[in-house]
């Protein structure tokens, strides 16, 4: 269930969905207020799919408010939040969908991003990961249930139609017409960075024009998408020369919204209680005095928690949030440096994928060696134990907020948040 309810609107004959959430907390100093409006890409160039995909413009009000030093009021004005505009285009942002080490190159994989079903597959001809909409234009069945055939094409498992990396249908075994955009699948641009596969969910133009000629605009769109790769949210430290950082990576699909996940990971005040005995202790309560180090904008913010975790025992902690889905905490103590990196990937309302990287660097070579020697299966188990601590609170709390907000009550009225930690 998605906070804020589910509204419907109509635009030029296409079915549009409007998902709206307001007043969602992002830890201490900020609030994120997204308003998501989009249509699914459900048709083709001259009838439905490519027109719908091209017309899809998801606008999100991504706002933040200054830290409330004293709990005088729960109210705020959207118009005063940002000076550089309040909307971002969610289909023009990069999202990690998987660690490439977890993807099998011999078969396609399905993932849902922003309610768009995607088929992720390895193109042996280009030696690169490719992404098509997980919908065969023939009977609208999932391409991810097919195979990568001997010619290196993505072959639909239902009737054997086969597509290249740009969505062009190369084979119709029943000898049907293929030189038409109606036979094309929708393609998306993908890029591999730092061991993650990122997708730009802005549909590429169809490979063919209505007259059957190659579509020149596809090449132009690909060049633009490649240039956009510079905006992929990454961890700069992992690209350092002679990098000595050790990564422990995990992912999990969660039964709550991406914004609920971000609120949780940006809220350190819950850690001593939710993760008592597993990660922290109820007695380790310090000041939650996060201060902004950069102006709030739709692009995110930087902050510093001067006291830091464990009531100041480890030193201060910096936080970076890059809208819409990237968060990084960095802690530099005398003995080690550590980063917690979270990508909160929106799948559909009420469901998201957590991509988590815990990154360490020790001054002593022994703990550095021990951490790097931890097997992946153990890291998987231990990480998911921590996630189980939070899950019951976030899932059921999100549902209760949605139920109460369906009655027309604002988020700030539903939740009482009097402290600076809120």
């Amino acid at each position: 269930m998605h906070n804020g309810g589910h509204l419907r609107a109509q635009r030029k004959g296409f079915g549009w969905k409007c998902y709206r959430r307001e007043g969602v907390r992002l830890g201490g100093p900020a609030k994120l207020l997204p308003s998501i409006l989009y249509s699914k890409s459900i048709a083709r160039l001259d009838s439905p799919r490519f027109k719908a995909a091209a017309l899809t413009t998801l606008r999100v009000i991504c706002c933040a408010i200054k830290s409330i030093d004293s709990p005088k009021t729960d109210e705020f004005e959207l118009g005063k939040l940002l000076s550089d505009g309040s909307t971002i285009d969610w289909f023009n942002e990069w999202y990690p969908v998987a660690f490439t080490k977890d993807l099998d190159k011999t078969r396609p994989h399905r993932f849902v991003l922003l309610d768009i079903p995607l088929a992720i597959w390895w193109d042996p001809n280009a030696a690169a990961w490719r992404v098509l909409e997980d919908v065969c234009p023939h009977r609208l069945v999932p391409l991810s249930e097919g195979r990568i055939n001997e010619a290196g094409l993505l072959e639909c498992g239902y009737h054997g139609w086969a597509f290249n990396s740009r969505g062009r249908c190369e084979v119709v075994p029943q000898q049907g017409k293929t030189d038409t955009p109606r036979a094309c699948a929708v393609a998306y641009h993908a890029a591999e960075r730092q061991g993650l596969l990122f997708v730009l969910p802005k549909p590429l133009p169809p490979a063919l024009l209505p007259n059957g000629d190659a579509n020149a605009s596809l090449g132009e769109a690909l060049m633009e998408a490649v240039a956009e790769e510079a905006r992929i949210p990454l961890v700069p430290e992992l690209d350092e020369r002679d990098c000595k950082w050790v990564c422990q990576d995990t992912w999990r699909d969660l039964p709550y919204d991406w914004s609920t996940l971000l609120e949780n990971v940006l809220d350190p005040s819950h850690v001593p209680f939710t993760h008592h005995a597993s990660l922290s202790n109820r007695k380790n309560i310090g000041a939650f005095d996060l201060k902004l180090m950069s102006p709030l904008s739709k692009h995110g913010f930087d902050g510093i928690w001067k006291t830091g975790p464990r009531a100041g025992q480890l030193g201060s902690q910096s936080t970076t949030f890059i809208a819409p889905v990237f968060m990084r905490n960095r802690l530099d103590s005398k003995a080690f440096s550590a980063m917690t990196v979270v990508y909160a990937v929106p799948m559909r309302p009420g469901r998201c994928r957590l991509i988590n990287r815990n990154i360490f660097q020790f001054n002593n070579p022994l703990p550095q060696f021990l951490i790097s020697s931890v097997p992946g299966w153990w890291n998987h188990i231990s990480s998911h134990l921590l996630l189980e601590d939070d899950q019951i609170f976030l899932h059921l709390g999100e549902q209760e907020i949605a139920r109460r907000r369906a009655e027309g009550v604002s988020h700030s009225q539903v939740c009482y948040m009097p402290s600076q930690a809120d």
Side-chain angles (χ1 to χ4, degrees), residues 58 71 114 130 134 137 142 171 173 197 230 247 265 283 292 297 334 345 349 373 376:
L58 175 55
L114 290 172
R130 303 300 191 190
D134 196 18
V171 178
L197 183 65
C247 281
V265 297
K283 297 180 180 179
L292 294 179
S297 77
K334 295 180 180 179
V345 186
S373 301

Side-chain angles (χ1 to χ4, degrees), residues 246-380:
V246 178
C247 281
Q248 293 182 337
D249 297 332
T250 190
W251 64 272
R252 180 168 176 169
D253 292 343
L254 298 170
Y256 44 84
D257 204 61
W258 65 273
S259 56
T260 300
L261 172 59
L262 274 177
E263 176 190 15
N264 173 253
V265 297
L266 284 165
D267 173 19
S269 65
H270 82 282
V271 173
F273 300 95
T274 304
H275 302 292
H276 173 73
S278 61
L279 179 65
S280 186
N281 190 288
R282 297 186 186 99
K283 297 180 180 179
N284 292 331
I285 306 298
F288 299 102
D289 49 0
L290 181 66
K291 300 297 182 182
L292 294 179
M293 305 302 292
S294 67
L296 289 165
S297 77
K298 67 178 182 180
H299 304 294
F301 64 86
D302 293 290
I304 185 77
W305 180 18
K306 294 183 179 180
T307 301
R310 299 190 182 181
Q313 298 176 25
L314 299 177
S316 61
Q317 176 177 284
S318 64
T319 296
T320 296
F321 169 62
I322 301 176
V325 300
F326 175 88
M327 187 283 302
R328 180 187 67 176
N329 288 332
R330 175 163 177 167
L331 175 68
D332 293 296
S333 70
K334 295 180 180 179
F336 66 92
S337 295
M339 290 183 285
T340 300
V341 176
V342 167
Y343 294 91
V345 186
M347 298 174 67
R348 52 169 53 101
R351 193 166 182 83
C352 70
R353 172 165 289 185
L354 163 69
I355 291 182
N356 171 224
R357 316 195 84 158
N358 295 314
I359 309 172
F360 304 93
Q361 188 176 73
F362 292 86
N363 298 332
N364 189 316
L366 180 58
Q368 183 86 358
F369 170 76
L370 293 175
I371 287 291
S372 62
S373 301
V374 175
W377 61 266
W378 176 256
N379 175 49
H380 177 85

